[in-house]
PDB file of all heavy atoms in Angstrom:
ATOM      1  N   LEU O 142      46.431  44.347 157.898  1.00 97.00           N
ATOM      2  CA  LEU O 142      45.199  44.084 157.143  1.00 97.00           C
ATOM      3  C   LEU O 142      43.948  44.603 157.845  1.00 97.00           C
ATOM      4  O   LEU O 142      42.826  44.276 157.447  1.00 97.00           O
ATOM      5  CB  LEU O 142      45.075  42.581 156.852  1.00 97.00           C
ATOM      6  CG  LEU O 142      46.096  42.057 155.834  1.00 97.00           C
ATOM      7  CD1 LEU O 142      45.974  40.553 155.662  1.00 97.00           C
ATOM      8  CD2 LEU O 142      45.932  42.760 154.490  1.00 97.00           C
ATOM      9  N   TYR O 143      44.125  45.351 158.903  1.00 97.00           N
ATOM     10  CA  TYR O 143      43.047  46.128 159.520  1.00 97.00           C
ATOM     11  C   TYR O 143      41.809  45.266 159.783  1.00 97.00           C
ATOM     12  O   TYR O 143      41.903  44.267 160.497  1.00 97.00           O
ATOM     13  CB  TYR O 143      42.753  47.372 158.664  1.00 97.00           C
ATOM     14  CG  TYR O 143      43.997  48.200 158.438  1.00 97.00           C
ATOM     15  CD1 TYR O 143      44.754  48.091 157.260  1.00 97.00           C
ATOM     16  CD2 TYR O 143      44.475  49.047 159.439  1.00 97.00           C
ATOM     17  CE1 TYR O 143      45.931  48.820 157.085  1.00 97.00           C
ATOM     18  CE2 TYR O 143      45.644  49.776 159.268  1.00 97.00           C
ATOM     19  CZ  TYR O 143      46.369  49.662 158.097  1.00 97.00           C
ATOM     20  OH  TYR O 143      47.530  50.378 157.936  1.00 97.00           O
ATOM     21  N   SER O 144      40.655  45.596 159.208  1.00 97.00           N
ATOM     22  CA  SER O 144      39.407  44.895 159.540  1.00 97.00           C
ATOM     23  C   SER O 144      39.388  43.433 159.100  1.00 97.00           C
ATOM     24  O   SER O 144      38.542  42.659 159.552  1.00 97.00           O
ATOM     25  CB  SER O 144      38.208  45.617 158.904  1.00 97.00           C
ATOM     26  OG  SER O 144      38.034  46.891 159.482  1.00 97.00           O
ATOM     27  N   PHE O 145      40.293  43.041 158.234  1.00 96.00           N
ATOM     28  CA  PHE O 145      40.378  41.639 157.811  1.00 96.00           C
ATOM     29  C   PHE O 145      40.918  40.738 158.925  1.00 96.00           C
ATOM     30  O   PHE O 145      40.629  39.539 158.959  1.00 96.00           O
ATOM     31  CB  PHE O 145      41.299  41.508 156.596  1.00 96.00           C
ATOM     32  CG  PHE O 145      40.606  41.668 155.272  1.00 96.00           C
ATOM     33  CD1 PHE O 145      39.329  42.192 155.189  1.00 96.00           C
ATOM     34  CD2 PHE O 145      41.243  41.287 154.105  1.00 96.00           C
ATOM     35  CE1 PHE O 145      38.700  42.344 153.973  1.00 96.00           C
ATOM     36  CE2 PHE O 145      40.625  41.432 152.876  1.00 96.00           C
ATOM     37  CZ  PHE O 145      39.343  41.963 152.810  1.00 96.00           C
ATOM     38  N   PHE O 157      33.070  41.161 153.363  1.00 95.00           N
ATOM     39  CA  PHE O 157      33.633  42.280 152.602  1.00 95.00           C
ATOM     40  C   PHE O 157      33.439  42.168 151.089  1.00 95.00           C
ATOM     41  O   PHE O 157      33.700  43.122 150.369  1.00 95.00           O
ATOM     42  CB  PHE O 157      35.120  42.430 152.931  1.00 95.00           C
ATOM     43  CG  PHE O 157      35.360  42.970 154.308  1.00 95.00           C
ATOM     44  CD1 PHE O 157      35.564  42.116 155.375  1.00 95.00           C
ATOM     45  CD2 PHE O 157      35.359  44.330 154.548  1.00 95.00           C
ATOM     46  CE1 PHE O 157      35.784  42.598 156.649  1.00 95.00           C
ATOM     47  CE2 PHE O 157      35.579  44.835 155.816  1.00 95.00           C
ATOM     48  CZ  PHE O 157      35.790  43.966 156.881  1.00 95.00           C
ATOM     49  N   PHE O 171      44.575  47.077 146.508  1.00 97.00           N
ATOM     50  CA  PHE O 171      43.576  46.763 147.531  1.00 97.00           C
ATOM     51  C   PHE O 171      43.537  47.846 148.599  1.00 97.00           C
ATOM     52  O   PHE O 171      44.565  48.276 149.120  1.00 97.00           O
ATOM     53  CB  PHE O 171      43.922  45.402 148.150  1.00 97.00           C
ATOM     54  CG  PHE O 171      43.227  45.095 149.431  1.00 97.00           C
ATOM     55  CD1 PHE O 171      41.839  44.963 149.484  1.00 97.00           C
ATOM     56  CD2 PHE O 171      43.961  44.913 150.600  1.00 97.00           C
ATOM     57  CE1 PHE O 171      41.209  44.665 150.678  1.00 97.00           C
ATOM     58  CE2 PHE O 171      43.331  44.610 151.789  1.00 97.00           C
ATOM     59  CZ  PHE O 171      41.951  44.491 151.827  1.00 97.00           C
ATOM     60  N   ASN O 172      42.316  48.314 148.910  1.00 96.00           N
ATOM     61  CA  ASN O 172      42.113  49.377 149.900  1.00 96.00           C
ATOM     62  C   ASN O 172      41.129  48.897 150.946  1.00 96.00           C
ATOM     63  O   ASN O 172      40.073  48.349 150.625  1.00 96.00           O
ATOM     64  CB  ASN O 172      41.576  50.632 149.201  1.00 96.00           C
ATOM     65  CG  ASN O 172      41.383  51.797 150.162  1.00 96.00           C
ATOM     66  OD1 ASN O 172      40.585  51.725 151.083  1.00 96.00           O
ATOM     67  ND2 ASN O 172      42.109  52.875 149.929  1.00 96.00           N
ATOM     68  N   ILE O 173      41.493  49.088 152.214  1.00 96.00           N
ATOM     69  CA  ILE O 173      40.584  48.748 153.298  1.00 96.00           C
ATOM     70  C   ILE O 173      40.769  49.748 154.428  1.00 96.00           C
ATOM     71  O   ILE O 173      41.905  50.133 154.760  1.00 96.00           O
ATOM     72  CB  ILE O 173      40.816  47.302 153.806  1.00 96.00           C
ATOM     73  CG1 ILE O 173      39.741  46.919 154.838  1.00 96.00           C
ATOM     74  CG2 ILE O 173      42.214  47.117 154.356  1.00 96.00           C
ATOM     75  CD1 ILE O 173      39.738  45.456 155.220  1.00 96.00           C
ATOM     76  N   ASP O 174      39.667  50.214 154.983  1.00 96.00           N
ATOM     77  CA  ASP O 174      39.695  51.181 156.089  1.00 96.00           C
ATOM     78  C   ASP O 174      40.551  52.409 155.748  1.00 96.00           C
ATOM     79  O   ASP O 174      41.221  52.979 156.618  1.00 96.00           O
ATOM     80  CB  ASP O 174      40.230  50.521 157.369  1.00 96.00           C
ATOM     81  CG  ASP O 174      39.366  49.360 157.833  1.00 96.00           C
ATOM     82  OD1 ASP O 174      38.166  49.319 157.466  1.00 96.00           O
ATOM     83  OD2 ASP O 174      39.884  48.475 158.534  1.00 96.00           O
ATOM     84  N   GLY O 175      40.559  52.775 154.478  1.00 96.00           N
ATOM     85  CA  GLY O 175      41.314  53.954 154.062  1.00 96.00           C
ATOM     86  C   GLY O 175      42.798  53.714 153.886  1.00 96.00           C
ATOM     87  O   GLY O 175      43.565  54.676 153.740  1.00 96.00           O
ATOM     88  N   HIS O 176      43.211  52.470 153.872  1.00 97.00           N
ATOM     89  CA  HIS O 176      44.638  52.130 153.743  1.00 97.00           C
ATOM     90  C   HIS O 176      44.877  51.263 152.506  1.00 97.00           C
ATOM     91  O   HIS O 176      43.994  50.505 152.090  1.00 97.00           O
ATOM     92  CB  HIS O 176      45.129  51.378 154.980  1.00 97.00           C
ATOM     93  CG  HIS O 176      45.110  52.172 156.235  1.00 97.00           C
ATOM     94  ND1 HIS O 176      46.188  52.932 156.655  1.00 97.00           N
ATOM     95  CD2 HIS O 176      44.142  52.328 157.171  1.00 97.00           C
ATOM     96  CE1 HIS O 176      45.883  53.528 157.806  1.00 97.00           C
ATOM     97  NE2 HIS O 176      44.652  53.180 158.141  1.00 97.00           N
ATOM     98  N   TYR O 177      46.096  51.354 151.975  1.00 97.00           N
ATOM     99  CA  TYR O 177      46.567  50.457 150.913  1.00 97.00           C
ATOM    100  C   TYR O 177      47.632  49.550 151.533  1.00 97.00           C
ATOM    101  O   TYR O 177      48.822  49.887 151.543  1.00 97.00           O
ATOM    102  CB  TYR O 177      47.157  51.247 149.746  1.00 97.00           C
ATOM    103  CG  TYR O 177      46.138  52.019 148.953  1.00 97.00           C
ATOM    104  CD1 TYR O 177      45.788  53.326 149.304  1.00 97.00           C
ATOM    105  CD2 TYR O 177      45.503  51.435 147.851  1.00 97.00           C
ATOM    106  CE1 TYR O 177      44.844  54.037 148.568  1.00 97.00           C
ATOM    107  CE2 TYR O 177      44.558  52.137 147.112  1.00 97.00           C
ATOM    108  CZ  TYR O 177      44.230  53.433 147.475  1.00 97.00           C
ATOM    109  OH  TYR O 177      43.298  54.132 146.752  1.00 97.00           O
ATOM    110  N   PRO O 178      47.242  48.387 152.053  1.00 98.00           N
ATOM    111  CA  PRO O 178      48.178  47.564 152.839  1.00 98.00           C
ATOM    112  C   PRO O 178      49.452  47.164 152.110  1.00 98.00           C
ATOM    113  O   PRO O 178      50.540  47.201 152.699  1.00 98.00           O
ATOM    114  CB  PRO O 178      47.327  46.335 153.187  1.00 98.00           C
ATOM    115  CG  PRO O 178      45.922  46.843 153.217  1.00 98.00           C
ATOM    116  CD  PRO O 178      45.867  47.835 152.094  1.00 98.00           C
TER     117      PRO O 178
END
Side-chain angles (χ1 to χ4, degrees):
L142 290 176
Y143 305 98
S144 294
F145 271 14
F157 288 94
F171 165 64
N172 182 297
I173 186 170
D174 299 337
H176 295 270
Y177 290 89

